[in-house]
Amino acid sequence: IGERTYDAKIATLLLCFINIALTSIFSLSNRKKILQIHAMQNDLAAKNILVQQQSERLISPDEDTREKCDDALTGLYNRKFFESLIAKLAERNAENVSIIYLRISNLLALSDEKGVEDINLLIKDTAKVLTNHADENDICARISKKEFVIIKLNTTKEATVLAVHSLISELNALGSAAKFAAGSSFKETSKTIESALEEAYEIQSI
């Protein structure tokens, strides 16, 4: 009986040891998975913060600085701001960025037919459509008298396509004599922001 009791104790101790070992292995495995998830979350958060900083560094609450970045007629950001932002995005090699380019293709012809006030109203109406269309984190700029750009941060290729279709519908709803041309591009990992910009400039009439 004594030997059986001893064997039973040994067996019990072995089972306890095996349970502890298995628990340790599973715990270690879970910890590794948790650490990997945390690392992925931190990496994603860091990218989001980076992109936000790229725009926030250029968007200053200081009125004098803001006036230098704004287009006087429309209130959108101006070409200087746009070029600075593109340079920052290129420097940081930002990903998941899309560019939507818009041009009033017959503005010169309309300028010969209409007065300055009518042309300015058309430009303002176009800018208003861009502003209403844009998401909270989008950046809208007027880069010349007849050209506009929307930079979408933290977006997808699919969302960009939908955004272009939505923008076209809103512009057509204006019912004005203006003719628009638009182009878009999504910056993927293998693409530079400069090449994405060139691709967006390959416009199509709408």
Side-chain angles (χ1 to χ4, degrees):
I1 296 173
E3 290 180 0
R4 291 179 182 176
T5 304
Y6 178 76
D7 290 342
K9 288 182 178 179
I10 293 298
T12 302
L13 288 172
L14 284 173
L15 286 173
C16 290
F17 176 77
I18 291 171
N19 285 332
I20 291 171
L22 288 173
T23 301
S24 298
I25 291 171
F26 285 130
S27 296
L28 181 60
S29 177
N30 287 336
R31 282 184 194 139
K32 286 182 178 179
K33 288 181 180 178
I34 291 171
L35 288 173
Q36 288 175 347
I37 291 172
H38 283 324
M40 291 173 63
Q41 290 174 335
N42 290 337
D43 183 55
L44 180 60
K47 286 182 178 179
N48 289 341
I49 290 172
L50 178 62
V51 174
Q52 289 173 2
Q53 286 175 342
Q54 288 162 0
S55 57
E56 287 173 357
R57 285 172 186 167
L58 296 168
I59 304 173
S60 170
D62 181 79
E63 287 188 7
D64 291 336
T65 304
R66 184 58 192 261
E67 285 179 3
K68 293 177 183 178
C69 294
D70 280 354
D71 173 65
L73 180 61
T74 63
L76 302 180
Y77 289 108
N78 59 22
R79 187 179 187 90
K80 180 180 179 181
F81 176 89
F82 167 73
E83 291 176 345
S84 297
L85 180 57
I86 289 294
K88 286 290 183 182
L89 293 173
E91 179 185 339
R92 301 296 184 180
N93 194 28
E95 298 178 6
N96 302 324
V97 177
S98 68
I99 300 170
I100 299 175
Y101 171 77
L102 177 72
R103 185 176 72 194
I104 306 176
S105 55
N106 65 335
L107 188 65
L108 182 60
L110 290 176
S111 298
D112 294 335
E113 300 173 6
K114 301 178 180 294
V116 174
E117 290 185 4
D118 289 336
I119 294 300
N120 286 345
L121 181 60
L122 170 60
I123 293 171
K124 288 180 181 179
D125 287 342
T126 302
K128 190 179 296 183
V129 169
L130 264 70
T131 302
N132 293 337
H133 160 84
D135 295 331
E136 183 179 357
N137 293 326
D138 292 351
I139 298 169
C140 301
R142 183 186 178 211
I143 58 175
S144 77
K145 184 174 182 178
K146 60 182 180 180
E147 295 174 298
F148 303 82
V149 171
I150 300 177
I151 297 179
K152 302 179 77 67
L153 306 175
N154 295 327
T155 188
T156 63
K157 191 173 185 178
E158 292 75 16
T160 303
V161 173
L162 291 174
V164 172
H165 287 306
S166 174
L167 177 60
I168 291 172
S169 296
E170 292 179 38
L171 288 170
N172 288 335
L174 282 176
S176 67
K179 295 181 181 179
F180 298 97
S184 66
S185 177
F186 177 72
K187 185 194 176 302
E188 299 172 303
T189 305
S190 60
K191 189 184 296 182
T192 65
I193 193 68
E194 293 88 353
S195 63
L197 185 60
E198 289 177 6
E199 187 177 322
Y201 284 163
E202 295 176 2
I203 58 177
Q204 297 177 350
S205 296
I206 58 176

